[in-house]
Amino acid sequence: MNNFKPSNNERRFKAHVSTLGTTQLHLRNPYIIAWWSAAFPGFGHLLLSKYLRGYTLFLWEILINVMSKLNLAMVYSFTGNTEMAKEILEPRWFLLYIPVYLFSIWDSYRTAVDMNRLCLLAERENADFNTFAIGSFEINYLDKRSPLMAVVWSLFMPGMGQLYIHRIVTGTFNLIWIIIFVYYSNLLLAVHSLFLGNIAQATEVVNPQWLLFIPSLYGFSVYDAYVNTVENNKLYENEQRKFLQKHYQQYRVKIPSQIVR
């Protein structure tokens, strides 16, 4: 259930509030979106709320990267061991990586440009949209949240910042994958060895192939939570302003021109 039913007169809506989250149109920098797609395919599309395409590219990146051993080859290259990097890199999988990687960058940039145009048109139309949704499992509504708290919770654990601002699907997705990355990278075992002062064992036990996924997911979770918190706050203020103008602005308050003493 929600508090608004659209008619057939509206062509574009600025936002949609559902029990799974708030999806909205807002202006984005296409170069930033393209950069996130270059950092990790799928992230740029997730920032644009293109979830199915974003999750597909994200899963594709994991599959191709692991099968081609790309992260491991990068580690060897960064440490100067280029011969080992060439030896472990699997060309049958790596050659599949390049075209989809380039498509992810190009498509996210193109989509960002198109959605900016749609955002401007939706702003001009200024159509009403639902601001409250309640169901059997969840309640979601527009309100103001702290961007700093969204960043802090994302730093504690990727996905928690999204849950704080009620982006249920993205938050759950991030939580699941950070668990997978941490488990297969043996990160916690390495941290435990460091606390015991055994640096050599910590270096030996860590799996760099899975470890290199973690910084990208952390960075994306922090950025996504912060940006969406700021934009949700703007959306809340915009909806409140429109509501007050519609229901109270016609009642003009008469202010006397001279103060009676």
Side-chain angles (χ1 to χ4, degrees):
M1 295 184 294
N2 57 62
N3 60 347
F4 172 74
K5 291 184 179 180
S7 66
N8 293 326
N9 297 324
E10 297 87 357
R11 295 188 64 191
R12 303 172 184 88
F13 296 96
K14 291 189 295 184
H16 174 68
V17 176
S18 70
T19 55
L20 294 179
T22 301
T23 304
Q24 63 170 303
L25 288 174
H26 62 84
L27 294 177
R28 301 170 173 91
N29 188 329
Y31 293 105
I32 298 296
I33 299 298
W35 185 90
W36 276 110
S37 292
F40 206 107
F43 282 169
H45 290 85
L46 292 179
L47 289 171
L48 295 172
S49 299
K50 307 282 285 186
Y51 299 114
L52 292 180
R53 200 177 307 181
Y55 294 143
T56 299
L57 290 171
F58 181 93
L59 295 175
W60 168 87
E61 163 70 16
I62 300 298
L63 173 64
I64 301 298
N65 198 311
V66 170
M67 298 304 294
S68 65
K69 297 181 175 60
L70 179 60
N71 281 351
L72 192 58
M74 290 172 58
V75 171
Y76 284 127
S77 298
F78 292 157
T79 55
N81 197 344
T82 56
E83 293 301 323
M84 183 64 73
K86 294 178 183 178
E87 183 178 344
I88 66 168
L89 194 63
E90 177 55 63
R92 292 177 298 178
W93 287 95
F94 178 70
L95 294 179
L96 293 174
Y97 187 91
I98 300 174
V100 184
Y101 180 79
L102 296 177
F103 168 80
S104 175
I105 299 172
W106 172 81
D107 188 64
S108 63
Y109 177 88
R110 176 197 62 81
T111 306
V113 172
D114 288 344
M115 291 184 68
N116 283 345
R117 295 169 181 166
L118 291 175
C119 177
L120 295 176
L121 292 173
E123 285 285 349
R124 294 174 184 174
E125 189 169 353
N126 200 23
D128 292 330
F129 56 90
N130 59 317
T131 59
F132 184 91
I134 184 170
S136 302
F137 297 100
E138 274 291 345
I139 302 175
N140 187 24
Y141 48 88
L142 282 182
D143 65 342
K144 299 192 72 172
R145 303 288 173 90
S146 169
L148 178 60
M149 289 303 300
V151 170
V152 169
W153 283 116
S154 294
L155 290 174
F156 273 117
M157 179 70 71
M160 296 182 71
Q162 281 74 21
L163 294 180
Y164 168 67
I165 59 174
H166 205 95
R167 289 170 62 84
I168 302 298
V169 178
T170 303
T172 304
F173 189 85
N174 288 350
L175 281 171
I176 291 173
W177 278 102
I178 193 60
I179 292 172
I180 294 174
F181 292 158
V182 169
Y183 178 82
Y184 282 104
S185 66
N186 297 325
L187 177 61
L188 296 183
L189 293 176
V191 172
H192 178 70
S193 298
L194 285 176
F195 284 157
L196 297 177
N198 197 337
I199 301 178
Q201 184 178 352
T203 305
E204 182 180 353
V205 74
V206 74
N207 185 342
Q209 173 61 43
W210 288 91
L211 183 67
L212 289 189
F213 289 131
I214 296 178
S216 298
L217 186 59
Y218 253 102
F220 167 76
S221 296
V222 171
Y223 180 81
D224 178 74
Y226 177 82
V227 169
N228 280 284
T229 305
V230 172
E231 295 300 331
N232 284 354
N233 289 346
K234 292 179 182 178
L235 188 66
Y236 171 81
E237 293 174 354
N238 180 271
E239 193 278 331
Q240 289 289 301
R241 186 183 305 112
K242 184 177 179 180
F243 175 82
L244 294 174
Q245 288 174 348
K246 180 179 179 181
H247 291 86
Y248 296 101
Q249 187 163 318
Q250 66 268 29
Y251 304 110
R252 297 186 177 181
V253 179
K254 295 182 179 180
I255 301 177
S257 59
Q258 295 180 355
I259 299 177
V260 180
R261 295 183 180 179

